[in-house]
Amino acid sequence: MNIEYSLTVGLSAMEGRGFYYPSDTAIGRDGRFYVVNRSLESVDRGVRVTMCDIQSEYYGIFGSYGEADGQFVWASCAALDSAGRVYITDERLGRVSVFDPDGAFARKWGTKGNGTGELDGPSGIAIDADDAVYVSDTYNNRVQKFTDGGDHLLTFGQGDLDLPWGVTVAPSGDVYVADWGNDRIARFSPTGQLVGAYGKPGRGDGQLTRPASVAVDEDGWMYVADWGNERVQVLDPDGGFVMKTRGEATLSKWAENFLRINVEEADARSRANLEPKIDLFDPDDPHEESSHVEKLFWSPMSVKLDDEGRLYVTESNRHRIQIFQKTA
């Protein structure tokens, strides 16, 4: 199993077409995807959800900063149900907001706290074939399962998880969690029993440092946003290392359009060294290199698979999505 770079979607923009510190992407069956823009804590107007597709067609935005219906403070992650409704977690407000496929607000649910059914820092969200909703209840160190209307069904992971972030439901029905604080991927049965754990702390092949997200294909192969190592790794169904990538981004269509209009910036870019030689303060720490080399991932927050076998990597600090194709 391998993945090969295909293209990049995105452009840094605080409003309108583009992304601003995106944290997750949800992909619809019609090819439209929904990009959650978390923004910065001090920049309210960057918060929104951008609707676009792999061809860089732009369909608009919805949501804004605030606590009213349809607004977010710390928007985190997104998932779609069988009807195409969009569910978005809000880490600060401790709730889930639901929108129709065009971005119209439908409802919200969730109460901040640590009791059964309450949420403290909800982040990752996933929806299974029966439209049950799984939420990483990050600061309560657990995952909770709800109906699509927010009624509590199940709690699991207490004692096994430490600050869980991304969550996904595999085609098998098992639930995989990016166990951020434990530097591993935790796998649970549909009834909440821990049945596997993959990875251990470190920077070597197959090791993980603060993983943020995981995607799982129909054969059980895992694709991990190894956030603390500024890379994506592919693991086999038993957790064995297969391959890794630090990113290979090229210009997106939106960026190309921007440079055609802004000729002075295009000229400066044409003369710039986009892969400079850097005297790294700590050669074993990938963050400095990622911050200086444009093509590399810089804060890969999310990995998602679509029905065509494409892998979408949402990287927050470069305001873009790198898309890869699975190959045999």
Side-chain angles (χ1 to χ4, degrees):
M1 181 64 66
N2 201 351
I3 55 172
E4 295 181 354
Y5 173 75
S6 180
L7 75 157
T8 293
V9 175
L11 178 74
S12 176
M14 292 177 63
E15 54 192 5
R17 187 185 72 168
F19 311 145
Y20 199 62
Y21 293 95
S23 55
D24 196 17
T25 300
I27 306 160
R29 291 194 181 98
D30 61 356
R32 180 180 297 196
F33 44 92
Y34 302 83
V35 183
V36 178
N37 296 283
R38 187 178 177 90
S39 188
L40 296 173
E41 189 172 358
S42 59
V43 184
D44 298 348
R45 67 189 177 101
V47 177
R48 66 197 188 280
V49 178
T50 305
M51 298 181 289
C52 56
D53 66 22
I54 198 169
Q55 304 299 329
S56 293
E57 291 294 325
Y58 171 63
Y59 301 105
I61 63 169
F62 63 88
S64 60
Y65 180 86
E67 299 185 22
D69 290 351
Q71 293 186 312
F72 319 103
V73 176
W74 284 0
S76 293
C77 298
L80 305 181
D81 69 12
S82 61
R85 289 180 288 257
V86 188
Y87 295 65
I88 298 176
T89 53
D90 190 312
E91 185 180 349
R92 173 63 69 83
L93 297 179
R95 72 187 188 193
V96 175
S97 295
V98 185
F99 302 81
D100 76 13
D102 294 319
F105 175 77
R107 61 183 180 272
K108 65 178 186 290
W109 47 264
T111 302
K112 191 169 184 178
N114 58 17
T116 298
E118 296 178 333
L119 300 167
D120 188 2
S123 54
I125 185 168
I127 300 177
D128 68 16
D130 298 319
D131 282 339
V133 182
Y134 297 78
V135 179
S136 285
D137 190 5
T138 301
Y139 298 118
N140 286 324
N141 300 308
R142 63 190 182 185
V143 172
Q144 296 200 71
K145 178 181 179 181
F146 300 89
T147 67
D148 58 2
D151 295 325
H152 177 263
L153 296 173
L154 179 69
T155 299
F156 59 92
Q158 308 98 313
D160 295 316
L161 298 173
D162 182 10
L163 300 176
W165 192 261
V167 60
T168 191
V169 181
S172 67
D174 283 354
V175 181
Y176 290 69
V177 183
D179 193 2
W180 194 88
N182 285 322
D183 299 310
R184 67 180 187 176
I185 302 301
R187 177 182 177 184
F188 296 87
S189 72
T191 54
Q193 282 75 43
L194 181 68
V195 295
Y198 312 105
K200 61 181 181 179
R203 301 198 183 279
D205 293 346
Q207 296 180 319
L208 302 171
T209 300
R210 301 300 188 245
S213 180
V214 58
V216 182
D217 68 17
E218 62 277 0
D219 297 315
W221 297 77
M222 291 171 275
Y223 306 79
V224 182
D226 189 6
W227 178 85
N229 287 321
E230 300 284 7
R231 66 188 179 186
V232 168
Q233 295 199 72
V234 181
L235 307 179
D236 70 24
D238 297 318
F241 172 77
V242 177
M243 67 157 295
K244 63 188 175 185
T245 176
R246 289 286 306 279
E248 302 177 51
T250 53
L251 284 175
S252 70
K253 288 184 178 180
W254 293 350
E256 289 173 350
N257 290 338
F258 176 86
L259 291 172
R260 275 196 292 269
I261 295 168
N262 296 273
V263 292
E264 291 184 358
E265 291 195 39
D267 180 62
R269 177 185 172 83
S270 70
R271 292 182 280 104
N273 180 6
L274 300 179
E275 296 189 39
K277 253 187 146 177
I278 306 166
D279 293 325
L280 300 175
F281 179 76
D282 180 358
D284 295 324
D285 187 342
H287 299 294
E288 188 176 0
E289 185 180 21
S290 283
S291 69
H292 284 85
V293 180
E294 182 185 277
K295 72 177 184 180
L296 300 180
F297 297 132
W298 190 10
S299 189
M301 294 279 288
S302 165
V303 284
K304 295 288 179 68
L305 289 166
D306 71 8
D307 294 336
E308 303 297 322
R310 292 179 291 238
L311 180 73
Y312 297 67
V313 184
T314 305
E315 48 174 317
S316 183
N317 286 0
R318 284 212 166 86
H319 321 285
R320 67 189 180 191
I321 301 167
Q322 292 194 44
I323 300 173
F324 296 75
Q325 182 69 54
K326 286 168 51 181
T327 60

